[in-house]
Amino acid sequence: MDKLRVVHYINQFFAGIGGEEVADHRPEVREGVVGPGMALQSGFKGEAEIVATVICGDTYFGENTEQAKKEVLELIKKYDADLFIAGPAFNAGRYGFACGTMAEAVEKELNIPSITGMYIENPGADMFKKSVYIVSTKDSAVGMKDAVAKMAPLALKHAKGEAIGTAAEEGYMERGIRENYFAEKRGSERAVDMIIKKLKGEEFETEYPMPDFDRVEIAPAIKDMSKATIAIVTSGGIVPKGNPDHIESSSASKYGSYDISGVDVLTEATYETAHGGYDPTYANDDPNRVLPVDVLRDLEKEGKIGKLYETYFATVGNGTAVASAQSFAKEYSQKLKEDGVDAVILTST
Amino acid sequence: MVKEIERTGIPVVHICTVVPISLTVGANRIVPAIAIPHPLGNPNLDGNEEKALRRKLVERALKALSTEVDEQTVFEN
């Protein structure tokens, strides 16, 4: 069988051109192997050959991403490659971004199997680990040997269309893809095995890892509530009757901003829930049960709070992607900040 | 959403029924609610009693917002 044709992407540093001072290096292509391609080449054990190496400066790529992507794709095209490998980028942020961008673009736009490698905390990892195979590497080039040992075999399998094992088996970052299989032991036995290992203090591997959640710094308390502007936000889907923004009942792709100036109480006739993840009877009968406008108006009149902010924000928290919720909240938080809101009550169903 | 709001420096209290989720997600001030479909109400009570219950929860939320905390805190009362 003919050797697989490989195009390799590296930055100006690994090409030996230079460091930051030449990071605006424009994309160029050289025939054959350059720099870390040597190690990859020997990792292919004769099954594949690097026919060309594309080199691009990290700053040029970062600052002119669309243009650079186009130029690099053009350079790659003419080599009729069976496989594209970018990096490894280790913990170099812009390089990781470039490797992820190119691996994704080559796979999607040129239909050439692609992989890259980088350190788990490289910002490129979170951005691209779901769309392309990213081999998990150490944080510096000291880990080159280890990186190549994982990248070369995975790249060959991917190029040949062979079955690829789990993230843990192959050494790539989890892509959030589930595959059904027949286990030898049933769930109850596996669970008991796991808890016995846990009790003994031995290592065990969960079958359902929890997502990573980061933490934020705790905001200081309100000193004088009687002067504070309070905003309300809900993931419980309370919207004006008829759901004017058509917020989806699950996997919401948007949130709504609704003016409640002059509204003293939410009624069955004027508001409802758009949420498809709980029995809507109680919220539809009395939407204040989810968004307590009535009580906050009373507290405002009594001077217990300064003011109820005139807009509330709502979405449906039902299978909604964490990334979507983050981007909704980022957007309306900016508005809350600009409008001088002092504190927020967020209700969830 | 709780975290993105707090990231801007605005204190936020999360009124929710499933407290462990709120803790896992990373809310720092939490007030436990009544039930998933009616976090701030109880349809078995009459109108006035129910509103009084809701007021109690909202006042607890305001208390949480007025309280300095140095770790995730659940305001049970």
Side-chain angles (χ1 to χ4, degrees):
Chain A
M1 190 185 111
D2 285 345
K3 284 185 183 178
L4 295 169
R5 296 169 61 82
V6 183
V7 174
H8 188 208
Y9 175 93
I10 56 175
N11 70 358
Q12 82 287 350
F13 176 76
F14 282 98
I17 297 170
E20 287 300 322
E21 73 287 359
V22 287
D24 56 355
H25 191 81
R26 304 281 295 261
E28 62 156 306
V29 64
R30 295 185 194 170
E31 304 277 327
V33 170
V34 179
M38 303 277 273
L40 277 171
Q41 183 99 298
S42 61
F44 295 146
K45 301 191 178 13
E47 284 195 64
E49 182 183 15
I50 294 177
V51 291
T53 303
V54 177
I55 300 154
C56 178
D58 289 334
T59 300
Y60 180 77
F61 198 99
E63 290 178 355
N64 312 280
T65 306
E66 283 311 308
Q67 179 60 25
K69 188 167 104 178
K70 235 185 268 169
E71 289 171 32
V72 173
L73 282 174
E74 274 311 308
L75 294 174
I76 295 167
K77 255 183 201 167
K78 56 183 173 231
Y79 288 95
D80 190 25
D82 304 303
L83 171 65
F84 174 74
I85 298 181
F90 305 105
N91 201 22
R94 284 165 306 164
Y95 189 22
F97 169 73
C99 286
T101 305
M102 284 322 305
E104 185 187 67
V106 169
E107 193 148 277
K108 279 202 184 127
E109 293 175 34
L110 304 183
N111 274 319
I112 299 170
S114 302
I115 76 156
T116 180
M118 64 191 78
Y119 181 55
I120 185 87
E121 285 181 13
N122 190 313
D126 263 353
M127 291 166 92
F128 297 103
K129 69 183 177 191
K130 293 214 165 145
S131 54
V132 291
Y133 286 108
I134 302 181
V135 167
S136 184
T137 72
K138 297 202 167 119
D139 60 357
S140 79
V142 173
M144 183 65 82
K145 200 173 150 204
D146 170 67
V148 166
K150 290 193 255 179
M151 285 173 77
L154 177 65
L156 290 176
K157 275 190 189 175
H158 190 32
K160 291 190 278 189
E162 290 175 1
I164 289 175
T166 64
E169 286 163 10
E170 306 275 1
Y172 61 87
M173 296 178 197
E174 281 180 23
R175 302 185 63 183
I177 297 169
R178 285 190 207 174
E179 209 166 302
N180 290 327
Y181 71 99
F182 287 100
E184 281 175 26
K185 291 182 179 177
R186 59 186 171 177
S188 51
E189 278 187 78
R190 302 203 303 278
V192 170
D193 287 349
M194 219 183 283
I195 201 161
I196 289 172
K197 281 191 183 169
K198 186 171 184 176
L199 288 170
K200 284 189 186 162
E202 289 173 9
E203 281 207 15
F204 64 95
E205 198 180 331
T206 175
E207 294 183 9
Y208 193 77
M210 290 290 126
D212 278 339
F213 293 105
D214 68 336
R215 290 284 177 260
V216 289
E217 205 175 310
I218 302 175
I222 300 302
K223 301 268 185 299
D224 186 353
M225 197 49 85
S226 70
K227 293 204 173 65
T229 300
I230 307 293
I232 35 177
V233 175
T234 187
S235 63
I238 301 300
V239 292
K241 196 89 176 176
N243 190 9
D245 294 315
H246 308 290
I247 297 176
E248 299 89 341
S249 60
S250 70
S251 304
S253 68
K254 55 195 145 191
Y255 69 96
S257 319
Y258 305 109
D259 190 344
I260 42 166
S261 44
V263 176
D264 283 335
V265 55
L266 306 182
T267 69
E268 191 184 352
T270 50
Y271 291 85
E272 64 181 350
T273 181
H275 202 295
Y278 65 88
D279 179 352
T281 315
Y282 312 104
N284 285 341
D285 283 351
D286 181 358
N288 302 281
R289 286 171 175 155
V290 177
L291 197 74
V293 171
D294 59 352
V295 163
L296 283 160
R297 281 294 179 215
D298 292 349
L299 291 163
E300 180 181 46
K301 283 187 194 117
E302 294 165 28
K304 298 255 168 65
I305 62 169
K307 187 169 161 294
L308 177 60
Y309 180 61
E310 67 265 18
T311 305
Y312 82 86
F313 302 98
T315 190
V316 165
N318 182 23
T320 300
V322 173
S324 305
Q326 277 173 343
S327 75
F328 304 161
K330 224 173 228 163
E331 200 171 295
Y332 63 65
S333 297
Q334 214 42 52
K335 177 135 181 56
L336 294 172
K337 191 90 194 159
E338 281 165 21
D339 289 353
V341 167
D342 297 296
V344 174
I345 296 175
L346 195 155
T347 66
S348 290
T349 47
Chain B
M1 299 207 293
V2 174
K3 279 192 302 193
E4 292 309 318
I5 295 168
E6 194 148 41
R7 231 185 272 282
T8 65
I10 301 176
V12 50
V13 57
H14 193 200
I15 303 182
C16 65
T17 304
V18 192
V19 172
I21 294 184
S22 184
L23 285 166
T24 310
V25 170
N28 290 319
R29 293 177 171 91
I30 301 167
V31 170
I34 307 295
I36 291 175
H38 44 84
L40 289 133
N42 181 349
N44 296 323
L45 301 175
D46 74 39
N48 287 335
E49 283 174 348
E50 190 182 11
K51 197 170 169 191
L53 171 74
R54 174 151 60 249
R55 178 164 173 135
K56 207 174 75 187
L57 287 170
V58 171
E59 283 179 335
R60 194 175 296 163
L62 296 177
K63 187 181 126 192
L65 290 168
S66 310
T67 308
E68 298 290 358
V69 296
D70 52 14
E71 57 179 359
Q72 289 188 296
T73 306
V74 180
F75 292 80
E76 303 270 2
N77 47 53

